[in-house]
Amino acid sequence: MLSTFRIIALLEGTSYILLLFIATPIKYLADDPQYVKLLGMPHGLFFIIYVVLAVIISKDMNWTNKTFWIVLIASIIPFGTFYIDKKYLRTKHA
């Protein structure tokens, strides 16, 4: 389950960065919303899966409430899921 969560965290973080730093500027600077529409749905699905898996895996990883909330809040901060992978997931996986 941990490896699945790590993959979803990577996909969620990558889709968020693409949405924020590529698709949104293109939408407003070039008046072309197609990239936001293209990336928005997959990002939303990855976000929902990330949250659900975080709830499930928190019990397996024995996370405190503080750690659990850090993992959840990181999903709305650019590059946050990469930090979570390095700080909480990769070290437990090794």
Side-chain angles (χ1 to χ4, degrees):
M1 185 65 87
L2 180 59
S3 60
T4 302
F5 184 65
R6 289 185 71 201
I7 291 167
I8 292 298
L10 173 69
L11 293 172
E12 196 277 336
T14 303
S15 68
Y16 192 38
I17 290 167
L18 291 173
L19 192 61
L20 283 177
F21 298 114
I22 295 177
T24 302
I26 289 172
K27 177 182 178 180
Y28 291 107
L29 297 175
D31 196 29
D32 187 1
Q34 75 177 353
Y35 296 105
V36 171
K37 291 178 183 177
L38 182 69
L39 290 170
M41 179 64 76
H43 169 68
L45 291 173
F46 291 138
F47 176 77
I48 291 168
I49 295 168
Y50 179 90
V51 171
V52 169
L53 287 177
V55 170
I56 293 169
I57 205 168
S58 68
K59 294 173 180 72
D60 295 338
M61 301 282 288
N62 295 320
W63 286 340
T64 64
N65 282 338
K66 179 182 176 184
T67 301
F68 174 69
W69 283 104
I70 290 171
V71 169
L72 289 183
I73 290 169
S75 68
I76 60 172
I77 299 171
F79 302 99
T81 58
F82 304 115
Y83 169 78
I84 294 302
D85 183 58
K86 183 176 181 181
K87 172 102 176 169
Y88 297 103
L89 305 178
R90 191 178 304 161
T91 57
K92 303 290 183 187
H93 187 26

